[in-house]
Amino acid sequence: GAVVSQHPSWVICKSGTSVKIECRSLDFQATTMFWYRQFPKQSLMLMATSNEGSKATYEQGVEKDKFLINHASLTLSTLTVTSAHPEDSSFYICSASLRGGPTDTQYFGPGTRLTVL
Amino acid sequence: GENVEQHPSTLSVQEGDSAVIKCTYSDSASNYFPWYKQELGKRPQLIIDIRSNVGEKKDQRIAVTLNKTAKHFSLHITETQPEDSAVYFCAASNGWKAAGNKLTFGGGTRVLVKP
């Protein structure tokens, strides 16, 4: 149980284009979804927290107009990297908290590797 | 905000030996401390967690201890096996808020178990 999926698993795009990443909780309803960014050999850095039907809360230093987050339902959140540039290349991972469960336990998706040329 | 320090950054052990990873946190309000294992290119997997009302928790070869006074917690892996090789992350959260709680991660420990 508590499976989180992401799509796509990897994407290569040209500089200036926008890329959308989906995060789905497959067998549970997620109270909250989180988006992280991970550079090679580094830790997970929280980008934003989103609740269904609400605006996302972004961490300091994360541009909300650059990284658009939509949390349309209790099982789906999307991250759109707008006008991507090579420095946006990274491993993006989402996680979800189980509705009705301990709100602090997070289940992670498999990640999306973004490469911007 | 919360700050989590993790040591060591790399750890090499012989198969069968024990491995210990230590983390310290800064926010005394933190009350949930999970440990994640991440293999190369894969998702972080929750391996064990502990809440502030407990001092120690064990699950087979893995144990976690928490010292709230000193604000540090540790992961202990006994009888290490090659498949334990991975990057391990500690994290801290001040849980139980309705809006969901942020995890602050440590920098990670790369564990290599040599056969």
Side-chain angles (χ1 to χ4, degrees), chain A residues 3-5 31-32 34 36 38 41-44 46 49 51 59 91 93 97 102-111 113, chain B residues 31-32 34 36 38 41-46 49 51 89 93-103 105-108 110:
Chain A
V3 178
V4 177
S5 71
T31 308
T32 305
F34 304 83
Y36 294 85
Q38 187 177 34
K41 297 187 178 181
Q42 293 191 22
S43 189
L44 289 84
L46 180 66
T49 304
N51 293 286
E59 293 300 297
F91 194 50
I93 310 177
S97 291
T103 56
D104 42 19
T105 301
Q106 294 183 25
Y107 301 93
F108 283 84
R113 187 162 302 284
Chain B
N31 56 14
Y32 174 64
Y36 287 88
Q38 187 180 30
K42 301 288 181 65
R43 78 182 80 200
Q45 297 270 17
L46 178 69
D49 57 12
R51 300 185 189 278
F89 292 99
S93 166
N94 56 350
W96 298 104
K97 290 183 181 177
N101 297 282
K102 300 190 299 185
L103 286 175
F105 282 84
R110 190 171 301 275

Side-chain angles (χ1 to χ4, degrees), chain A residues 6 14 17 22-24 33-34 38 41 45 75-76 83 92 105-107 112:
Chain A
Q6 273 183 249
K14 292 183 178 180
T17 61
E22 289 187 350
C23 176
R24 291 182 186 271
M33 288 185 167
F34 304 83
Q38 187 177 34
K41 297 187 178 181
M45 298 299 297
T75 60
L76 173 64
S83 187
Y92 291 88
T105 301
Q106 294 183 25
Y107 301 93
T112 297

Side-chain angles (χ1 to χ4, degrees), chain B residues 21-42:
Chain B
I21 304 170
K22 298 181 178 181
C23 289
T24 60
Y25 61 99
S26 62
D27 187 352
S28 57
S30 289
N31 56 14
Y32 174 64
F33 307 92
W35 285 88
Y36 287 88
K37 175 184 180 182
Q38 187 180 30
E39 297 178 7
L40 189 63
K42 301 288 181 65

Side-chain angles (χ1 to χ4, degrees), chain A residues 34-88:
Chain A
F34 304 83
W35 287 95
Y36 294 85
R37 185 173 181 176
Q38 187 177 34
F39 290 108
K41 297 187 178 181
Q42 293 191 22
S43 189
L44 289 84
M45 298 299 297
L46 180 66
M47 299 174 66
T49 304
S50 74
N51 293 286
E52 182 259 343
S54 304
K55 288 184 178 180
T57 301
Y58 290 81
E59 293 300 297
Q60 192 172 9
V62 178
E63 299 175 58
K64 62 180 181 180
D65 295 330
K66 171 77 171 175
F67 299 100
L68 299 178
I69 292 172
N70 184 276
H71 196 151
S73 73
L74 284 170
T75 60
L76 173 64
S77 177
T78 60
L79 167 68
T80 301
V81 183
T82 62
S83 187
H85 291 283
E87 57 265 30
D88 298 323

